[in-house]
Amino acid sequence: MHFGFGAQRDELRPGEDQVMFTERARAFATVGFGVFALLSAHVQTSAQPAPDYGALLAAPDRSEADRQADKRRDPAPFLAFAGVRPGMKVLDMGAGGGYSTELMARAVAPSGIVYGQNPAELPEGPKAKFEARLKTSAMKDVVVDIRPFHDPVPADVRDLDLVAFLFFYHDTTYMNVDRAEMDRKLFAALKPGGVLLIADHSALPGQGTSVGKTLHRIEESTLRKEVEAAGFHLVAEGNFWRNPADTHDFPSYQPNMPVDNFVLKFQKPM
């Protein structure tokens, strides 16, 4: 920001230079205080100690279905990589039946909040699972967010710490979704320094979004290019769900098959 100190000084009447200096000093102080407050808020959230993710997963009130899903989904490294902590404001994109939504709600408790986004046209199966899950105490900090993917954030929600987008970005490639608008909305909803974490099923180089509907996969470089176009910076990659045995020529939802999954951590610049 440029305040032009000394500009047009020879045109000032007696006494005006001191007044203008004082006003500009106050302006600098206001801007400085705003930046300090912004950084302090970021530090305070980051400074919260991470919960014991192992204990979180072993909580006795978790359902047997979720425990069985753990064996396939292996959520512990994701929670650690995402850095989900108490007090965080999180948006779970494509929450589906709420498996990941509940895990993040447990991690942000007791003072955090998780918005579970699903489109209105969510199939009855996952919709019923999510509604049933909402009745449990673990979901007390979850807010239902029924909105389209390209406009996923309620108007009064801002300064999110984390957006998680797990294995659903590829679906938006064949749905009626403006992905560029979606990515811009996610960027705007995050606080400076906030994180967008995307996991998806890997497609072969050159396939781009062409196999989104058939194989339910997306090329990693294509996704990265789209997200970075919204202003995000890639800051880390997680290899904990990679699988080199994947031949990439079958639908990712096929059971008992080795699926190669990439995990990308993007950040909104400070």
Side-chain angles (χ1 to χ4, degrees), residues 42 159-160 184-196 230-235 266-270:
H42 176 72
D159 293 329
L160 294 169
R184 287 193 294 268
K185 290 288 180 66
L186 296 179
F187 184 88
L190 282 163
K191 70 180 186 182
V195 167
L196 168 62
F232 287 100
H233 293 169
L234 181 68
V235 293
F266 299 92
Q267 188 175 46
K268 179 177 180 176
M270 293 290 293

Side-chain angles (χ1 to χ4, degrees), residues 23 60 63 81 84 92-93 132 160 169 175 177 188-189 230 246:
E23 290 176 347
S63 70
F81 186 68
V84 193
D92 187 20
M93 290 285 289
L160 294 169
Y169 195 101
M175 299 170 67
V177 175
D246 186 359

Side-chain angles (χ1 to χ4, degrees), residues 31-100:
V31 171
F33 179 78
V35 172
F36 175 77
L38 196 97
L39 292 173
S40 296
H42 176 72
V43 170
Q44 286 171 7
T45 302
S46 303
Q48 292 289 321
D52 184 336
Y53 299 123
L56 183 152
L57 293 171
D61 62 333
R62 293 189 71 221
S63 70
E64 182 58 29
D66 280 356
R67 295 183 193 281
Q68 291 301 315
D70 290 346
K71 299 176 183 179
R72 174 172 54 87
R73 300 197 182 196
D74 189 23
F78 157 73
L79 292 170
F81 186 68
V84 193
R85 298 167 183 267
M88 274 188 158
K89 293 170 61 177
V90 179
L91 171 63
D92 187 20
M93 290 285 289
Y99 169 86
S100 298

Side-chain angles (χ1 to χ4, degrees), residues 17-179:
D17 54 347
Q18 183 60 42
V19 172
M20 182 170 287
F21 179 84
T22 302
E23 290 176 347
R24 287 169 173 170
R26 286 173 180 167
F28 270 121
T30 301
V31 171
F33 179 78
V35 172
F36 175 77
L38 196 97
L39 292 173
S40 296
H42 176 72
V43 170
Q44 286 171 7
T45 302
S46 303
Q48 292 289 321
D52 184 336
Y53 299 123
L56 183 152
L57 293 171
D61 62 333
R62 293 189 71 221
S63 70
E64 182 58 29
D66 280 356
R67 295 183 193 281
Q68 291 301 315
D70 290 346
K71 299 176 183 179
R72 174 172 54 87
R73 300 197 182 196
D74 189 23
F78 157 73
L79 292 170
F81 186 68
V84 193
R85 298 167 183 267
M88 274 188 158
K89 293 170 61 177
V90 179
L91 171 63
D92 187 20
M93 290 285 289
Y99 169 86
S100 298
T101 315
E102 179 181 322
L103 287 178
M104 289 187 283
R106 289 175 180 271
V108 304
S111 54
I113 188 169
V114 178
Y115 298 89
Q117 182 270 343
N118 273 316
E121 60 271 21
L122 184 72
E124 286 302 316
K127 181 179 179 181
K129 289 181 180 179
F130 194 91
E131 290 175 349
R133 199 182 286 273
L134 283 172
K135 299 175 183 178
T136 66
S137 60
M139 297 282 279
K140 66 182 184 301
D141 297 318
V142 172
V143 175
V144 179
D145 179 24
I146 306 301
R147 298 179 65 87
F149 282 102
H150 56 264
D151 188 20
V153 187
D156 60 340
V157 175
R158 58 184 64 85
D159 293 329
L160 294 169
D161 295 290
L162 170 69
V163 174
F165 208 154
L166 306 181
F167 306 108
F168 220 122
Y169 195 101
H170 73 268
D171 288 299
T172 66
T173 66
Y174 60 85
M175 299 170 67
N176 185 24
V177 175
D178 184 338
R179 295 194 305 283

